[in-house]
Amino acid sequence: MNGKMTSALPGFYTRSLTERRAIAKAWGSLDAADIKALADSGLSAAEAELMIENVIGRYSLPFAVATNFRVNNRDILVPLVIEEASVVAACSKAAKLFRAGGGFQASSDEPIMIGQLQLLDIADLELARAQLHAQKRAILRLADEKAGSIGTRGGGARDLELRSFPTSPAGAMLILHLHFDTRDAMGANVINSALEHIAPFVESLCGGRVNLRIVSNLSDQRLARASGHIPLAALESAGASGEQVAAAILEAAIFAEIDPYRAATHNKGIMNGVDALVLATGNDWRAVEAGAHAYAARDGSYRSLTRWTRDAAGNLVGEIELPLALGIVGGATRVQRAARAALKLLELESAQELAEIAAAVGLAQNFAAMYALATDGIQSGHMRMHARQLALAAGADANIAGDIARQLIAEDAIRLERAKELIQEREQRP
Ligand code: MEV
C-alpha cells in the first residue's frame, strides 16, 4: 500500500499523539487492533507470563516512527522503540538529507546463520577433518531433519566449515561450523536444535567428544549493507558551509577509524538506531549488538562500522556493513502485539528486507550524530528534552510541561527546584 505514500511527513512531530496514530494507520496496513496494541504496549500481564519466568509486571518504552526514509526506492515509516531523547528526531532529519540524494541503497546476504560444535579429545585433527569432510552430505541431511517450517519455506542446512585450534589450553580443538539458511526467522532455535541433533553422529565420525552446541552471534554470513549520499548544499548549517561540514564529518569519521575509544561511541550511535528498530520488531537486540561489535573488531582492532568519503561532485557518501540476524516470524512477535504492528507497518517481504532497513537506519543515525557533533554539539538538543523531563519530574501536567521547559531554557536554569517554582507560580495565577 505504501508504494504510493511518501514517508516525508512534514510537521509530523507537531501533531498530537492521536493524530500521529491516525496518520500511521492511514499510511501503513495497520488496523484498529494494531493501534490498540500500540496504545496498550502490546502485552497483557497474562501474555507477559508466556514470555519469561517469574513475571511480576510489565515495562513500557516509547514507540515512535522515524519519517523520511526511502530504502531501495521504497518509502518506509520506521518503527523505533527507545528511551533516549533525540534519536528519532535525529534519524528522521538524517533520512531527509539522504532523501535529497535519492535515499538509501541497501543489500544483504542470504539469511545464513552459523552454528558451532566444539569437538575435543581428538587424537588426530587432520584425520578427523578428512572424516567429517567425507561425510558432509550425510551431516547436512541429518541437520535438515530439524528444519521444520523453515525447510518448507526453502531454508535448511547449506554447508560445513571446520576450524582447527591445535594448541588451546583445553587441548586440540576442532570447531565445526554448520551454515544454515533460516529464511525469515532469526534462526537461533532451529540451528541449536540441528546442532544437538547432529552432535552424536559427528562424535562417532571423528572419535572425539562434543562439548558446546550453540549458534554463533558473529553472523558474518548474514551481512547487510546500506549506502547513500548527501548533496553538499543539504549539509549547510547555521554558520558553516556544506564544504566545511563535510570536511568536519570526514575528520570525525577518520577519528573513529583510528581510535577504538572513539569507535566504540561512534558505533554506539549507530546502534541507537539499529537497536531501536530491532526492539520495535521484537528481535533479539543482544544478539545484534554482540554481532555488530565482534564484526567491528574482525581485523584485530576495533573499528567504525561505517565508511565516509566524498564523490566526484563533492557529495558526502556514507556506507555501512554489519551482521544483522533478524527475523520477521517467531520469537517475541508470537506474543508481543506492538512488535507485530511494527512489522505490519514496515510491509516487508522478507527478513532480509528488514536487515537492509536496519542498516540504513544505522547509517542515518551515524550521520546524525557526526553532523551534530561536528556542528553545534549534541547538548542543546539534549538539554531541551532534559528540560521537559525535569518539568514532568517536578510535577508539571503533560499539557504545561512544554511551556515550563521553554521557560527553564530561556532562563538558562534547567534545574528541578526552578521547575517546581515555575509550576507553583502558574498554580497561583488567578
Ligand atoms: C549518544 O547516545 C550517541 C553519540 O555519542 C554517538 C556519537 O558520538 O557518534 C552522540
Side-chain angles (χ1 to χ4, degrees):
M1 182 203 268
N2 67 17
K4 297 186 209 77
M5 308 280 281
T6 171
S7 62
L9 299 171
F12 186 71
Y13 66 97
T14 61
R15 302 301 191 90
S16 71
L17 181 57
T18 315
E19 286 171 333
R20 285 196 293 265
R21 275 188 192 141
I23 294 169
K25 181 160 179 260
W27 201 91
S29 29
L30 302 186
D31 57 25
D34 299 315
I35 297 298
K36 182 174 174 300
L38 295 175
D40 73 8
S41 301
L43 194 69
S44 68
E47 287 163 339
E49 284 206 280
L50 297 174
M51 291 181 84
I52 63 166
E53 311 76 32
N54 298 357
V55 168
I56 59 167
R58 286 165 293 151
Y59 181 116
S60 295
L61 286 173
F63 182 120
V65 291
T67 56
N68 298 316
F69 271 84
R70 192 164 173 76
V71 182
N72 293 338
N73 297 323
R74 187 165 82 86
D75 273 35
I76 295 156
L77 275 190
V78 180
L80 297 174
V81 168
I82 187 159
E83 88 297 347
E84 183 173 334
S86 307
V87 167
V88 178
C91 207
S92 303
K93 183 175 169 195
K96 187 172 171 187
L97 300 193
F98 276 104
R99 196 180 176 87
F104 300 94
Q105 291 74 50
S107 64
S108 56
D109 297 337
E110 296 289 308
I112 306 285
M113 285 301 267
I114 299 170
Q116 298 192 292
L117 271 190
Q118 181 194 22
L119 284 153
L120 298 140
D121 301 344
I122 293 184
D124 182 337
L125 278 181
E126 284 315 309
L127 186 62
R129 291 177 75 103
Q131 281 157 335
L132 291 171
H133 268 304
Q135 291 299 320
K136 175 170 146 177
R137 300 231 149 272
I139 299 171
L140 295 180
R141 254 197 319 274
L142 197 59
D144 266 338
E145 288 178 7
K146 291 288 168 186
S149 61
I150 286 171
T152 327
R153 293 196 205 106
R158 293 287 184 262
D159 205 359
L160 293 185
E161 191 192 340
L162 296 170
R163 299 169 57 237
S164 302
F165 295 88
T167 58
S168 90
M173 212 185 279
L174 185 58
I175 306 300
L176 179 147
H177 278 195
L178 171 64
H179 290 195
F180 202 103
D181 182 331
T182 63
R183 293 287 93 202
D184 286 330
M186 185 273 190
N189 272 334
V190 71
I191 204 149
N192 291 340
S193 304
L195 290 169
E196 290 185 10
H197 191 58
I198 63 171
F201 180 53
V202 169
E203 233 170 24
S204 73
L205 286 175
C206 58
R209 171 174 61 86
V210 168
N211 189 26
L212 300 196
R213 298 144 296 171
I214 187 72
V215 68
S216 168
N217 289 125
L218 175 50
S219 24
D220 62 3
Q221 302 296 305
R222 201 176 181 176
L223 300 175
R225 304 160 198 90
S227 62
H229 74 269
I230 300 180
L232 207 55
L235 286 173
E236 263 173 43
S237 91
S241 68
E243 192 61 51
Q244 285 168 324
V245 174
I249 288 178
L250 288 189
E251 287 165 354
I254 292 169
F255 185 8
E257 272 301 309
I258 61 173
D259 178 12
Y261 284 90
R262 173 59 203 152
T265 324
H266 177 99
N267 289 343
K268 188 273 184 184
I270 292 171
M271 301 315 284
N272 274 347
V274 173
D275 283 343
L277 174 59
V278 170
L279 200 52
T281 54
N283 274 285
D284 181 344
W285 50 271
R286 286 90 52 216
V288 170
E289 278 281 329
H293 297 295
Y295 192 65
R298 66 193 175 282
D299 68 2
S301 167
Y302 185 90
R303 291 183 193 290
S304 162
L305 288 165
T306 53
R307 231 173 65 85
W308 293 90
T309 49
R310 308 268 305 267
D311 66 12
N315 302 317
L316 187 67
V317 180
E319 295 164 80
I320 187 169
E321 181 179 76
L322 75 169
L324 278 162
L326 300 178
I328 59 170
V329 295
T333 57
R334 286 206 183 95
V335 183
Q336 225 306 349
R337 287 170 282 112
R340 282 212 293 275
L343 288 169
K344 275 173 87 173
L345 186 66
L346 286 162
E347 299 186 326
L348 302 166
E349 289 192 347
S350 66
Q352 275 181 259
E353 205 185 345
L354 177 58
E356 290 164 11
I357 295 168
V361 170
L363 185 61
Q365 202 58 44
N366 182 224
F367 167 79
M370 287 199 301
Y371 181 83
L373 292 167
T375 55
D376 299 339
I378 56 168
Q379 280 317 95
S380 60
H382 270 221
M383 289 322 274
R384 269 197 301 279
M385 277 322 266
H386 181 55
R388 269 183 73 86
Q389 284 161 8
L390 264 189
L392 289 170
D397 189 274
N399 296 324
I400 65 157
D403 283 350
I404 302 283
R406 269 187 290 280
Q407 201 163 338
L408 292 174
I409 293 163
E411 292 178 6
D412 194 17
I414 306 177
R415 293 192 310 272
L416 188 66
E417 280 316 307
R418 182 64 188 139
K420 284 183 179 161
E421 281 167 20
L422 290 173
I423 295 167
Q424 243 171 23
E425 282 170 21
R426 281 181 81 104
E427 282 167 358
Q428 281 157 10
R429 273 189 215 158

